[in-house]
Amino acid sequence: MTATPPPPSPAGPLTRQVAARLRQQVRGGSWPHLSRLPPDADLARHLGVGTNTVRRALTLLHTEGLVERRRGSGTVVLGQPSSIEQTGPRVGVLVPSLTRYFPPLVRGVRDVVEAGGGTVVARPSDHGAAQESAVLDDFCSSGLEAMVVVPLTPSLATPQFRDRLESLEVPVVVAERLPPVSGAERGDSRLSCVVSDVRRGGLMAVHHLVRAGRSRIGLLSSRDTATSEDFHSGFTQAAHDLGVAVGQATLRWRYDWRRPQQIRRTVRGYVSTLVQTGTDAVVCFDSTVVSALLRELEAAGCRVPDDVAVITYDEEGGHPTPIPVTAVVPDRGEVGRLAAHVLLRQLDRGIQIPVTQTLVSPDLVLGAST
């Protein structure tokens, strides 16, 4: 779980000096991306300062988006400041999390912006509407020149939130979320967006399994999330077009990824349904669940892929699997890079650039599970 750092104390000369030394070490590659820094007390001894000074210095680096302070696991490197003299814009990136799913997107934005001499400040909403609003307030008051925003799904569904993004005086690109396009809102949105083509991911998964000779394909998926509905739409369309039998082998439910035992109990019941219906393949939307699925299939005596083939969407799950799993993988780094390019064009050309909506196709990565 990400720990929200306390508001930084006024940075005195010593704190700024320590922050500069740590920043220089990050720039020099002393700690690679996503590596953990030594404990605060060890850094303090090495630098010859007090632990509180180190903590204040790391808080400064956190606000710059260079490190993340994680409760129970220390300080993690998220990026490296550019060695290029700043000649480009300061860009804010707001994402639901800096630890799950979205770090590649942040790196993509950073690659493009820093290549042009700009800087990136990345902040998480921590999946909370209040924190999301507070980060936007901070971005607006800190003089940022452009923003990439990955809104929370309930926020983007609210006209007031969309109005706020559209009324900002700096260019904004929405990433990984499609603004509503129904009814009268279709022609009114002025928000550019760059998103992974999740619906295409559902189509790709079914087509791959059918080419592999599977004819009774199940779906194990979350529901009512930012991406699960689009994935389900693609899955359903492909199943219909290809004459794939579905039905009882479809389970879509709301779950908390932090409760693995509850997930495993649900998956155990789902595997029983697979056996009863003779299902020979499963599309598992959410790689956090695929590990439980593979283990429950093994416990039920089902061989993967001989009896049941398994394919997942998005390979980032954080849970080890018995065998490499075939995955439809969104390229969030490319989403970030394209979003940054749209921002830079808007900064360069202002209102002359039309509203842009870009879909980024996922990749199919083959594994032993199919």
Side-chain angles (χ1 to χ4, degrees):
M1 181 179 295
T2 301
T4 302
S9 303
L14 181 58
T15 296
R16 292 196 298 270
Q17 181 181 359
V18 170
R21 292 183 63 180
L22 294 173
R23 192 182 296 110
Q24 184 177 14
Q25 288 182 278
V26 171
R27 178 186 295 128
S30 298
W31 299 295
H33 177 73
L34 293 183
S35 64
R36 286 181 173 82
L37 271 63
D40 294 355
D42 291 351
L43 286 174
R45 284 193 295 270
H46 175 71
L47 296 170
V49 297
T51 303
N52 287 337
T53 300
V54 168
R55 288 172 180 162
R56 285 193 292 268
L58 290 174
T59 297
L60 288 177
L61 298 190
H62 173 91
T63 62
E64 297 172 13
L66 300 181
V67 301
E68 181 66 39
R69 304 278 274 170
R70 300 179 183 176
R71 184 180 298 115
S73 58
T75 304
V76 177
V77 176
L78 293 181
Q80 296 183 357
S82 175
S83 59
I84 304 173
E85 181 181 356
Q86 183 177 345
T87 57
R90 295 181 65 236
V91 175
V93 181
L94 171 60
V95 292
S97 171
L98 285 172
T99 58
R100 283 173 54 86
Y101 300 118
F102 297 105
L105 187 150
V106 175
R107 291 197 300 273
V109 175
R110 197 186 301 277
D111 288 345
V112 173
V113 173
E114 292 185 350
T119 57
V120 170
V121 178
R123 296 277 300 278
S125 65
D126 290 332
H127 299 280
Q131 173 72 359
E132 180 179 59
S133 180
V135 171
L136 284 176
D137 289 340
D138 290 345
F139 279 178
C140 291
S141 63
S142 61
L144 296 176
E145 297 167 71
M147 301 181 199
V148 175
V149 178
V150 182
L152 301 177
T153 305
S155 298
L156 195 59
T158 305
Q160 292 84 352
F161 184 85
R162 298 196 300 275
D163 289 344
R164 180 181 185 185
L165 292 183
E166 292 180 357
S167 65
L168 293 175
E169 297 180 356
V170 299
V172 176
V173 173
V174 173
E176 290 295 57
R177 304 287 188 263
L178 276 173
V181 292
S182 61
E185 296 173 349
R186 176 179 293 274
D188 293 339
S189 177
R190 299 187 301 276
L191 292 172
S192 290
C193 60
V194 181
V195 300
S196 298
D197 193 346
V198 183
R199 186 177 188 278
R200 179 175 173 81
L203 289 164
M204 291 171 63
V206 176
H207 278 265
H208 172 69
L209 291 172
V210 170
R211 287 196 300 270
R214 309 296 168 145
S215 59
R216 298 184 65 84
I217 301 175
L219 175 66
L220 179 61
S221 171
S222 55
R223 63 179 303 168
D224 301 330
T225 69
T227 51
S228 61
E229 303 312 300
D230 285 339
F231 189 87
H232 181 247
S233 173
F235 172 91
T236 302
Q237 183 65 53
H240 177 269
D241 292 346
L242 299 175
V244 173
V246 294
Q248 288 183 324
T250 296
L251 173 62
R252 303 174 67 226
W253 92 109
R254 298 184 183 91
Y255 62 88
D256 185 341
W257 60 270
R258 293 164 296 190
R259 303 179 67 180
Q261 294 303 320
Q262 183 182 66
I263 290 174
R264 189 156 185 174
R265 285 194 297 270
T266 302
V267 172
R268 185 175 301 131
Y270 177 74
V271 168
S272 297
T273 300
L274 295 183
V275 174
Q276 294 169 8
T277 58
T279 300
D280 59 8
V282 176
V283 178
C284 184
F285 179 76
D286 195 340
S287 54
T288 60
V289 178
V290 74
S291 177
L293 174 63
L294 292 174
R295 297 183 189 283
E296 291 303 324
L297 284 169
E298 181 182 15
C302 295
R303 298 168 299 168
V304 177
D306 296 348
D307 300 322
V308 179
V310 175
I311 186 171
T312 188
Y313 180 80
D314 202 344
E315 62 185 353
E316 180 186 343
H319 299 281
T321 56
I323 60 174
V325 180
T326 295
V328 177
V329 182
D331 190 343
R332 293 196 177 93
E334 182 66 5
V335 169
R337 288 186 288 272
L338 289 174
H341 280 300
V342 173
L343 277 183
L344 295 181
R345 287 179 63 208
Q346 289 179 339
L347 283 168
D348 182 51
R349 297 173 55 189
I351 60 174
Q352 297 178 20
I353 181 174
V355 172
T356 300
Q357 292 193 342
T358 302
L359 294 176
V360 180
S361 179
D363 296 319
L364 180 65
V365 179
L366 299 179
S369 65
T370 60

